Amino acid sequence: MKNKNKKVELIAPAGNLEKLKFAYAYGADGAYIGWKKFNLRNMAGNFSLSEIRKAAELKKRLNKKLYLTLNIFPRNEHISKIISFLVSIKNIPLDGIIVSDVGILSLCKQYLPNHEIHISTQANVLNHRTVNAYKKLGARRVVLARELALKEIKKIKEKVKDVSLEIFVHGALCLSYSGRCHLSTYLTGRDANFGECTHSCRWKYSLVEEKRPGEYFPVEYNSKDTFILNPRDLCLLFHIPDIIKTGVDAFKIEGRMKGLYYIASVVSAYRRAIDYYYEKKPSQKKYDQFSEKIFRKDLITIKNRMYTADFIGMGKKNSVKEKINGYFEQRSDVQHSFTGIFIKRSGAKNKVLLFLKNKLERGDDLFYRSPEHDQIGPFTVKEIKDIKNKPVDFGRARQKVWIEFNSFFSGDCNYGIFFKKTKS
């Protein structure tokens, strides 16, 4: 039985070592990564074998958790390569191997007897009998399907023992049932079930009537985008108390192909929401007020496809949600533009070295956040110098530049990120 005083685990995505470090720094209890092959985000940076070892050393040093995805649906020709890979990671202290395929599950039991096996959401687990069936096969955790409602999750938890449950709480949703899609394969030859999805459902499409060739009729959602197959992004921030009460053991954030700013913002948002619930024991009204501030400050201001609470949120009302179909209001006048990553300070208090992610000019107003600081600023850029200390008018993406501000704080800047606020 789960300890009622134990906090739900927050698991973040990490597409490479740098993202893993940021995920841990901004509050993730655990993170999930993929090898260069055989995972459903093959186009993310992913980890070489040596990097997996480094990741395991990092999680041990920080007392965190680390999970490895091996959740493809393999063909016959992949089996021998998968076996070789399993043998190569046998002595790496991972906290779980995430699989979708029963054949890979059996291989993990054979070649990784000391590693926990977790069942991926791609396995489409919707009921307690399936959870218990996977338990008998050796699984220690099941990531439930996204298509479940809150009451169904609660029922599953009541019916299973000695196996933990995990759900996705934030990130991209797939148009297809539990992600089992062939649209990408059909249109591009790149198989979504082998980690090569081209996100064809998010392309812009138009309708053509058969007797009017060449006449295209867009289906418009707003002035900026056209959606036919495009699913919204999942956001269960407002439902954290209700989900925790079901007894679910872990919350997972989607996004191994997302950038550092996404990881810092989203992980930090859910970390604060979870901690607030456990530490303050707030009423629903107070929690709604607290989570709305986080939503408007951290989640609505990053790039998204509009949010939905999906199946879990049906019937839940909140001031930031529309009343139709559970879709969230998306009317932020300000968007955050990721500017750069802190590298180090110079001897001067107001001078720092940044690795730029976007263009920066003198006179720009930057805001700053870190694991210790929640969005402070603005700080005006007084002067920019290149790495050789030569003054320049602006810096470009992927450059290292020295920035002198009119004023800046003197605290710890580790894992600090800078961003601009722009009118949307």
Side-chain angles (χ1 to χ4, degrees), residues 299-314:
L299 300 183
I300 205 173
T301 51
I302 60 176
K303 187 176 181 181
N304 64 81
R305 303 180 188 93
M306 295 186 64
Y307 291 117
T308 176
D310 206 31
F311 294 88
I312 281 181
M314 291 302 181

Side-chain angles (χ1 to χ4, degrees), residues 66-86:
L66 184 67
Y67 307 101
L68 180 72
T69 57
L70 198 60
N71 56 347
I72 64 159
F73 293 95
R75 303 293 179 95
N76 291 325
E77 61 266 26
H78 303 133
I79 301 301
S80 60
K81 295 177 182 178
I82 291 172
I83 291 173
S84 296
F85 174 66
L86 294 177

Side-chain angles (χ1 to χ4, degrees), residues 245-422:
K245 290 172 185 175
T246 68
V248 163
D249 301 274
F251 291 166
K252 178 175 277 183
I253 296 167
E254 183 276 338
R256 279 189 290 141
M257 293 180 68
K258 299 285 190 179
L260 288 175
Y261 190 71
Y262 171 92
I263 291 173
S265 298
V266 177
V267 172
S268 175
Y270 281 88
R271 177 76 278 154
R272 282 178 285 148
I274 292 169
D275 291 348
Y276 178 76
Y277 172 78
Y278 280 101
E279 294 166 11
K280 301 297 184 181
K281 302 292 190 294
S283 65
Q284 186 63 53
K285 181 179 180 180
K286 286 188 176 180
Y287 178 81
D288 285 345
Q289 292 171 343
F290 181 81
S291 57
E292 182 175 336
K293 290 179 182 178
I294 295 175
F295 177 75
R296 290 194 179 280
K297 193 174 185 181
D298 290 334
L299 300 183
I300 205 173
T301 51
I302 60 176
K303 187 176 181 181
N304 64 81
R305 303 180 188 93
M306 295 186 64
Y307 291 117
T308 176
D310 206 31
F311 294 88
I312 281 181
M314 291 302 181
K316 170 80 171 177
K317 293 182 178 180
N318 189 284
S319 60
V320 298
K321 299 178 186 176
E322 295 179 359
K323 294 181 180 179
I324 302 173
N325 296 330
Y327 293 144
F328 285 40
E329 181 185 6
Q330 172 68 10
R331 296 185 178 89
S332 175
D333 294 328
V334 177
Q335 293 291 299
H336 291 179
S337 175
F338 186 18
T339 304
I341 305 168
F342 170 84
I343 299 176
K344 65 179 180 179
R345 288 183 183 273
S346 72
K349 172 185 172 183
N350 298 336
K351 191 174 180 180
V352 297
L353 181 65
L354 299 188
F355 178 74
L356 296 181
K357 292 292 186 177
N358 284 295
K359 185 178 179 180
L360 177 68
E361 298 180 284
R362 281 186 299 175
D364 282 348
D365 286 332
L366 297 186
F367 291 80
Y368 171 84
R369 77 178 306 160
S370 73
E372 291 78 26
H373 299 89
D374 176 30
Q375 290 194 26
I376 57 176
F379 303 104
T380 302
V381 177
K382 180 181 177 181
E383 188 173 33
I384 305 174
K385 293 183 178 180
D386 63 20
I387 198 67
K388 296 180 180 179
N389 219 32
K390 179 182 177 182
V392 293
D393 292 327
F394 60 89
R396 296 186 178 91
R398 304 194 66 79
Q399 277 187 321
K400 290 181 181 179
V401 293
W402 285 102
I403 305 297
E404 184 177 350
F405 296 105
N406 284 342
S407 65
F408 195 56
F409 77 102
S410 58
D412 183 8
C413 289
N414 288 336
Y415 298 102
I417 54 179
F418 290 84
F419 62 95
K420 290 186 257 187
K421 293 185 178 182
T422 59

Side-chain angles (χ1 to χ4, degrees), residues 35-74:
W35 185 42
K36 295 288 185 181
K37 301 178 181 179
F38 306 137
N39 75 90
L40 290 183
R41 288 294 183 271
N42 273 349
M43 290 182 286
N46 289 317
F47 290 68
S48 65
L49 193 58
S50 63
E51 288 172 331
I52 293 174
R53 293 192 180 96
K54 290 178 182 177
E57 292 169 1
L58 177 67
K59 72 98 180 179
K60 182 178 180 181
R61 186 165 68 249
L62 298 176
N63 194 28
K64 302 282 188 175
K65 297 290 184 70
L66 184 67
Y67 307 101
L68 180 72
T69 57
L70 198 60
N71 56 347
I72 64 159
F73 293 95

